[in-house]
Amino acid sequence: MGIRSNFISNLIFISFLVLETFRKLGNMAETRTPNKTYATHPTTYGKGSRQCRVTGRKGGMGLIRKYGINMKRQTFRERAYDMGWMKYK
C-alpha cells in the first residue's frame, strides 16, 4: 500500500508540474509584444497585390493576367466557355 500511494502522489505532483509549465508558457506567448515584420511587406505592387476577380484569392502562381482576365487558373477553367473561349485540340 505504501509504494502504490507514493507512486500516485508522485504522479499527481508531476502532472501538476507539467500543467503549471504549460500555463506559464501560454501566458508568455500572450504577453509578448507581437512581431511587426509580417506587416511590413508592401501589398501595393507585385504578386501579392493582385487577386482573382471572382474568388478574391491573392495572386501568385496560377493567376491569369493576360487580356485583363485577372482570374485564378482553376476559376478560368470553370468559366472560360461562358466567357466565349474555345479549346481547340
Side-chain angles (χ1 to χ4, degrees):
M1 285 292 229
I3 295 174
R4 176 180 268 171
S5 63
N6 192 13
F7 175 75
I8 292 174
S9 64
N10 285 343
L11 188 64
I12 291 171
F13 180 71
I14 291 172
S15 62
F16 172 76
L17 287 177
V18 169
L19 290 174
E20 189 67 22
T21 305
F22 281 130
R23 187 185 64 81
K24 287 180 182 178
L25 288 176
N27 288 342
M28 274 180 36
E30 292 173 5
T31 58
R32 187 183 62 184
T33 57
N35 190 359
K36 296 289 184 178
T37 57
Y38 64 90
T40 58
H41 187 74
T43 57
T44 55
Y45 59 89
K47 292 182 178 182
S49 66
R50 296 182 280 271
Q51 61 185 4
C52 176
R53 68 169 62 216
V54 178
T55 60
R57 290 180 61 193
K58 289 289 184 179
M61 302 265 307
L63 184 69
I64 300 173
R65 296 177 56 206
K66 195 170 185 177
Y67 308 119
I69 293 174
N70 293 327
M71 283 187 182
K72 294 296 273 188
R73 181 184 59 80
Q74 295 88 347
T75 309
F76 179 74
R77 284 180 58 97
E78 293 171 359
R79 298 172 184 243
Y81 187 76
D82 298 332
M83 293 169 52
W85 291 85
M86 300 293 285
K87 184 173 181 179
Y88 294 105
K89 291 185 180 182

